[in-house]
Amino acid sequence: MSFSAAPSSMSPGTLYVVATPIGNLDDISARALKVLAEVSLIAAEDTRHSARLMQHFGIATPLAACHEHNERAEGSRFIARLQAGENVALISDAGTPLISDPGYHLVRQARAAGIAVVPVPGACALIAALSAAGLPSDRFIFEGFLPAKAVGRRARLEQVREEPRTLIFYEAPHRILESLEDMRAVFGEERPALLARELSKTFETLKGLPLGELCAWVAADSNQQRGECVVLVAGWQAPEGEEAVSAEALRVLDLLLAELPLKRAAALAAEITGVRKNLLYQVALERQK
Ligand code: SAM
């Protein structure tokens, strides 16, 4: 390992961003354990929670709180110690810090101060879920947590309705059913999806179904509304024929559909854009589903 835990008055220390398990403690890496044991200080989201993890691994490094409420204000305390040559590790309660977890402000402050920031990779629920989902994984977007209130949630989902990349969401167990139902309403019954629950834990479940069936499955079994979960939804695919229609023609069609009956809108759009009337009629039917 190329770092020294001993403070040096010559050069600043390093901030290590260390991933910890999301359930199964065996998922911690040998490198993570070494770094956590050798740094001077561990900045932790919840020191009591992390104290249990450190005790499990026999690590005695002191812990200091670094959570969303103190991260900005207290960041300078960690930066001062790093500047004094100490190495510091940043961890969150589970998984990779900064991924729907605190750490962003500390990492930014450290980088702005010219301090080396080194990731120590490991568990991350969204990546674990994606790796086993069987949905396209070459391009994806992570939407984090959706707004808790229905209006905001629907609006956010509407923004990504025609997103072609695989969509990944985090969700709390008490909202999983209402969120899935909103996804069904916005993305449609048939859109392929997967619920990844309790990853790496005893009751790990990965269930892939079209959204309509997934909602019914979760509604019928209250056990599926417990524990931690990630939802993946396949990206939008243009309905047959729609790919052949330019974005401009679709825009014209949508404008006309908002004002006119479907048949008339398709006919007028065909005249304006030069696209075949039958094709626009089919596309209009799909868009009004
Ligand atoms: N930093 C973490 C990561 O790297 O995945 C995420 C922390 S975020 C506060 C917690 C959310 O991550 C949970 O609500 C759930 O959506 C997801 N999550 C964390 N652990 C999980 C697990 N074992 N199985 C499924 N989802 C999990």
Side-chain angles (χ1 to χ4, degrees), residues 8-14 79 81-87 113-116:
S8 146
S9 54
M10 301 303 290
S11 55
T14 295
I79 301 296
R81 292 189 65 165
L82 285 155
Q83 280 171 331
E86 290 184 289
N87 292 316
I115 289 159

Side-chain angles (χ1 to χ4, degrees), residues 36-206:
L36 292 171
E38 293 184 7
V39 292
S40 307
L41 182 71
I42 299 173
E45 182 181 2
D46 177 341
T47 52
R48 278 199 300 183
H49 174 95
S50 294
R52 289 194 290 275
L53 186 72
M54 295 309 127
Q55 199 177 9
H56 176 88
F57 290 114
I59 291 171
T61 309
L63 293 156
C66 178
H67 45 68
E68 59 174 331
H69 304 296
N70 77 348
E71 193 188 337
R72 280 174 206 245
E74 294 289 304
S76 51
R77 212 160 46 90
F78 296 113
I79 301 296
R81 292 189 65 165
L82 285 155
Q83 280 171 331
E86 290 184 289
N87 292 316
V88 175
L90 169 68
I91 61 173
S92 63
D93 285 355
T96 303
L98 279 81
I99 306 302
S100 294
D101 265 344
Y104 169 72
H105 297 289
L106 181 59
V107 166
R108 273 190 73 89
Q109 284 179 36
R111 293 186 68 85
I115 289 159
V117 182
V118 172
V120 181
C124 179
L126 77 103
I127 298 297
L130 181 66
S131 72
L135 292 171
S137 53
D138 50 343
R139 298 197 308 150
F140 60 90
I141 62 164
F142 174 52
E143 281 288 310
F145 286 95
L146 288 166
K149 294 202 176 126
V151 175
R153 188 166 55 229
R154 288 262 186 140
R156 179 77 61 80
L157 291 172
E158 285 290 349
Q159 285 172 2
V160 290
R161 192 167 65 91
E162 295 192 357
E163 167 58 58
R165 294 166 290 185
T166 297
L167 297 143
I168 308 180
F169 303 92
Y170 280 169
E171 193 46 282
H174 60 279
R175 274 198 293 271
I176 187 63
L177 188 54
E178 45 184 302
S179 281
L180 282 174
E181 277 166 358
D182 282 348
M183 288 178 197
R184 169 175 61 179
V186 174
F187 301 141
E189 301 269 333
E190 302 303 327
R191 187 87 75 96
L194 180 129
L195 175 66
R197 214 174 54 80
E198 295 288 88
L199 289 165
S200 81
K201 304 185 202 177
T202 310
F203 296 106
E204 178 179 85
T205 309
L206 286 95

